[in-house]
Structures are given as C-alpha cells and as structure tokens.
Amino acid sequence: MSDEQGFSPRERRASFTLAGIFGMRMLGLFMIMPVFALYGQDLIGFSPLWVGIVIGVYGLTQAILQIPVGWLSDRIGRKPVIYAGLALFALGSVVAALSDSVYGVAIGRVLQGSGAIAGAILALAADITREENRTKAMAIIGVCIGISFAIAMVLGPVLAAFIGLSGVFWTTALLALVGILMVRFMLPEQAHRGQIRDVTAAPELFGRLLKDRQLLRLDFGIMLLHLTLTAVFVAFPLTLLDAGLVAEHHWWLYLPTLLLSFVLIVPFLILGARRNMNKQLFQASILVMMAALLLMAAGQGQLWLLALAMMLYFTAFNFMEASLPAFLSMLAPAGAKGTAMGIYSTSQFFGAFLGGVLGGLLYQQLGGGGVFVLVAVCMAFWFWLATGMTNVSKVRSHILSIGVNIENKDQREQLLQRLMALPGVHEALIIPEEGAAYLKVDGNIFELDQARRLINL
C-alpha cells in the first residue's frame, strides 16, 4: 500500500529500474569519451579527426532516430522497442571491441547510437506511473543520467588502464545485456497507452514549436552545450598527457573536480528556484564555461590550471544540463512537452556529433589550444543568444485523466472552459483520443485537487 502522494511499490520499482537501464546505456556511451584519444592510438587509421568522429558519431544516429523510435513505441509497445535498442547497443559494443581500426570502432558507435530508446523509456515510465508521481519518476531518470556521466568520467580511465580500450567496449556490451535482463525480470507488465503528449512527439506540432523563439534558444543551447562537451574531450585527455599526467591517472583529476562541481551547483539551483534568477544564473554559467575553456587554452602544461579549468567547466556544464530541461518544461505549450523534448533531444545529439567532428578537425589543424579557444567563441555566441531568454517563472505542467467526460464536443468544450477558469491555469488542452487534459499552470496558486474534483463532477 502507499499513500496518495507517494510511490506505490510497483511505481517505485519501475521508476528505479527504468532509471538504471537509461543510466547504464548512457554510461556505456560516455565511458569512451575520456579514454579514446589516449588508448585508440594503436588502431589503424588513428587521427585527431577520427577521434572526434568516434566520440561524437553516436549522436548522429541518435538525432536521426530519436523521434521515429518514440513513434514506433506508440505503435508496437515500449518493451519491444527497448529490447531492440539494447540489443543494437550490445551489437555496436561488440563490433567496436573486435575492431582493429578506427573505422570499425566508428561503425560500432553508429550502431550504439541507433538504439535510440530514450523516448520509449520515458513513455514507459509515463505508462506505469500515476500522473501525480510522473514528475518524480522523470526526475529519478534525470538524476541517474547525471550520475552516469560522472561515473563514466572516472570509470572509463580506470577500466581502460586495466583492460584496455576493447575491454571498455566489452563492458558496455555487458551493461546492455544486464539492461535486457532488467526489462525482462524487473519491469512490470503494462499495456502501453499509445501517444502521451508529455513524453512523445506529435507530428502536427512541429511547425508551431519550430517557430517558437524561446524554445529555439533552448534547442540551440543544448546543441552548443553538447558540441562543447565532445569537442573538449577530443583535446583535453591529450592535453593532460602533455602536462605529464599519465593516462591511468587521469581519473585522479576527474573525480575531485566532478565531486566539487556537484557541491558548487547546489546553491545556484536553490537560488534560481527561490529568487527567480534563472536567466541571470544561466547566463553566468555560460560565462563560467567560456572562462574555463580559455583557462584550458592558457593552462597548457600546468596541471593545477587544467584541474581548476575542468572544475569550473563541470560546474557550469552540470548546472546547465539540469536547468535546460526544466526551462523547456516551463516554456512548452500545454500538450506539447513531448514534442518540444523530442526536438530538444535531437538538437542535443546532433550537437554531440558536430562537436566531435569540429573538435577533431580543430585539433588536427590548431592543437588543443585552438580547440578550446574556438569552442569558447561558441560559448560567446550562446551568451548573446541567451540575452533574449525569458526569465522563466514557476510554471508547471499537469496531465489529468478525464474519462467519461469527453463523450461529445459540447461536454469537452464545457470542461475546457471550467478548467481555464481555475486559478493559476494558463493553458488547457483536451485530447479525446488519449482521454486526457493537459494543463499549463502557475505552481504558486494552482491547486491540483481542485482540478481533479472539477473533472470528477
């Protein structure tokens, strides 16, 4: 049994299982980032450009397939899509592990990225959890992604030192197989509910959202953030090597800088939420990241400067990685969050691909310093772009089941008018096919129980 506001045991198990599956997959994608430039040098065809391609190419297939795979899960069910995606990820890992050339490893990374199951996992989380607990489930998944990135930055160098680059890929294949077993034995059976607009994309909304300047700023922002990430990790491991830190000790730098960065972002997240300073703190984070990149360029050969730069970089990166999805959720129109998130995720993965290619090309021509300086210029462009951002307030989204209240058009129109009349409701949308009402509300004054009572009249 569970109380009205808490997770049921079934919801809790499903949420943490899905978070674990998502996190292990992202761990497998991220672990290669801090090690490939160091341990891939014996591969046939190795060059800085191919380092960037291998690190970022998973983003290309992710970007192409992210939304279509989500639609497929609406049609054939979540679990078949998740099984197939994890199997493709495992296959790509095996291909990369067995390859003796950068070209084979790149093909493996393409296959890894083609298992684009993020949308299906989020949709399954929405299927399994009640509306009042859905935000919590999504937050658990989001936290697990952040943790997987931190673990990957440390675990990748440790594993590569002991079992080599191929061993890292064999580990990612094992993680995918563990994920398949978790889907089979730990997730409850659940008839999928088709499209849920809070987590899956609606094709008819693309044109409208692609004209929304505020959402486009967030899409370009996440693209530039992940472009920077992959470009940095083409050059930074080699920069550490040049500064005298041997490859097997790189985790000595990543671990403390990551831990300190997580501590440093907490007061900023609290300040942004309580003082409505989201925009100011966001712009400050872009400037911190730009300063960190310039410090990386200036700190060639000086480990303490590189460590300071990476600590600042991780702090700004983690703050923006946490803030951008929250901003998107606040700004997306009612019933359009899934579509907005689909465009956002596609931009994110495309940025990862562009960053890998750009980082490889720049390192080949200009060295590590050139990579850091020119990517800092991208941050300056982002800062200019962010000047037009809305300072988002405490806006929240809710999705409510309306059941029998949608028998005819007149009933739907009357219900819509009553919902719009509730204090704090900015937008309301009823989707008869889903039996759902989507609300965009002011979280300070909206009362969810009042809306539920109205629907149940």
Side-chain angles (χ1 to χ4, degrees), residues 23 26-31 33-34 142-158 229 233 250-263 265 310 314 317-318 321:
M26 297 310 294
L27 178 64
L29 288 171
F30 288 144
M31 271 199 299
M33 292 176 61
V143 168
C144 199
I145 295 170
I147 292 172
S148 71
F149 173 75
I151 293 173
M153 292 298 102
V154 177
L155 187 59
V158 171
L229 179 69
F233 279 97
H250 280 197
W251 69 272
W252 291 2
L253 183 140
Y254 293 132
L255 180 59
T257 55
L258 269 166
L259 292 176
L260 188 56
S261 73
F262 283 127
V263 173
I265 68 169
M310 186 50 71
F314 279 146
F317 177 87
N318 289 327
E321 189 81 346

Side-chain angles (χ1 to χ4, degrees), residues 385-404:
L385 200 64
T387 57
M389 281 179 57
T390 298
N391 198 11
V392 291
S393 58
K394 195 174 182 180
V395 177
R396 296 290 181 266
S397 298
H398 293 284
I399 174 173
L400 302 176
S401 174
I402 57 177
V404 297

